[in-house]
Amino acid sequence: KAMCSGKLQTALLVAGYFIYLLVGAAVFQALEKTAEKQEKRAAAQMKEAFLQNFTQLTVAEMEQFMKNLTEAIQNGVYPVGNESQFEESNWDFSNSFFFAGTVVSTIGYGTLHPKTAGGQIFCVFFALFGIPLNIVFLHRVGKMLSLLCKKLGKFLYEKGMRKKKIKFLTLLFFLATGILVFLCLPSVFFQITEGWSYSEGIYFAFITLSTIGFGDYVIGKQSDRKYFSYYRVLVAIWILFGLAWIALLFNL
């Protein structure tokens, strides 16, 4: 009965956690998408004006153009390619879900952030409740994984192995499995999808799962590449379970 109750609590927590992220993603999308469109149109007009008049620009006008261009890039607007590329949003649902995941996990790459007053205020409250929820979620998932450790330990103990050796082998097993599942294999995936080298994939995976999040490498940001639908959602889920694996290692 207690086991059934624990499983139900876990199921409700996982469901509640993902609903929280989905709702957050939908709100961020609703608050930020229109403002971003206006910013992209302004960047497109700025580029067009520059291309028409660049031979006649004064030093002061050139300096102003560089300042505006730098601000646009810092805000996630890259004025490259044709106008159809300006219509692609950084705040589509997949990107918004990924952003919500990086907020509650405290990674915070810094390449995507809310710019409207409503988006910024919502982000404060979303993080305020989301970060503790994320800690509870990771703790529960870590607990579930630690039960697997206990089962493995019990199996080895029944085979006549000593307790110290069991502890060492259990840690080694989960360390090796986690490195394979959360670092080595995803790095191959990033190498294929992003066109990075394998070492860059490993670097990105480690910087992400350690929640350092420099933002020098971020997925789904290359305008010359076509990404499949919900690519960022998949990566966000990988991050969440990768963080749970790291929490388990600390417990072990």
Side-chain angles (χ1 to χ4, degrees):
K1 195 175 181 181
M3 194 180 283
C4 286
S5 174
K7 282 181 179 177
L8 180 65
Q9 282 177 2
T10 302
L12 288 171
L13 176 64
V14 171
Y17 181 73
F18 279 100
I19 288 167
Y20 188 80
L21 289 180
L22 289 167
V23 170
V27 174
F28 280 122
Q29 186 182 21
L31 291 170
E32 295 296 323
K33 206 169 182 180
T34 306
E36 186 205 35
K37 264 187 182 177
Q38 291 169 354
E39 203 169 358
K40 284 195 171 187
R41 283 199 195 103
Q45 287 165 3
M46 177 188 73
K47 179 187 171 182
E48 190 64 35
F50 173 78
L51 291 172
Q52 286 173 1
N53 305 306
F54 73 95
T55 54
Q56 300 159 21
L57 292 179
T58 64
V59 174
E61 286 171 334
M62 191 66 187
E63 289 283 342
Q64 187 59 47
F65 170 76
M66 294 300 290
K67 187 183 173 186
N68 293 342
L69 182 65
T70 305
E71 280 178 13
I73 291 167
Q74 284 173 345
N75 289 332
V77 176
Y78 301 92
V80 293
N82 54 33
E83 277 194 42
S84 65
Q85 284 180 300
F86 286 102
E87 295 306 311
E88 291 176 14
S89 177
N90 287 321
W91 291 101
D92 59 18
F93 189 77
S94 183
N95 265 327
S96 300
F97 185 87
F98 184 73
F99 173 74
T102 59
V103 168
V104 298
S105 60
T106 70
I107 295 169
Y109 292 115
T111 52
L112 187 66
H113 49 272
K115 297 165 203 79
T116 64
Q120 288 168 350
I121 291 165
F122 175 73
C123 189
V124 170
F125 287 101
F126 181 76
L128 198 63
F129 295 101
I131 292 168
L133 178 62
N134 183 63
I135 292 166
V136 173
F137 170 78
L138 292 179
H139 176 71
R140 182 55 67 100
V141 174
K143 209 172 178 182
M144 284 167 65
L145 290 172
S146 67
L147 289 174
L148 289 174
C149 288
K150 282 182 183 176
K151 283 182 180 178
L152 178 64
K154 194 179 176 184
F155 172 76
L156 292 173
Y157 187 71
E158 285 170 358
K159 294 289 179 183
M161 203 174 279
R162 287 167 61 193
K163 281 188 177 181
K164 277 188 179 179
K165 199 174 181 182
I166 288 168
K167 282 183 180 180
F168 173 74
L169 286 174
T170 304
L171 177 61
L172 190 66
F173 172 75
F174 277 94
L175 181 64
T177 306
I179 287 170
L180 180 69
V181 173
F182 294 109
L183 290 176
C184 297
L185 292 178
S187 298
V188 175
F189 175 68
F190 295 133
Q191 187 180 12
I192 296 163
T193 313
E194 297 289 343
W196 297 336
S197 67
Y198 186 70
S199 61
E200 286 172 327
I202 288 276
Y203 170 76
F204 167 75
F206 177 78
I207 292 299
T208 295
L209 295 184
S210 60
T211 70
I212 295 168
F214 288 128
D216 50 349
Y217 286 85
V218 182
I219 55 104
K221 286 290 174 186
Q222 298 183 63
S223 57
D224 59 334
R225 286 189 167 263
K226 285 283 177 189
Y227 300 101
F228 62 88
S229 298
Y230 300 107
Y231 165 54
R232 294 167 195 85
V233 173
L234 192 65
V235 175
I237 292 167
W238 160 73
I239 290 170
L240 298 173
F241 284 97
L243 291 174
W245 165 65
I246 287 172
L248 169 70
L249 287 183
F250 281 120
N251 283 335
L252 288 175

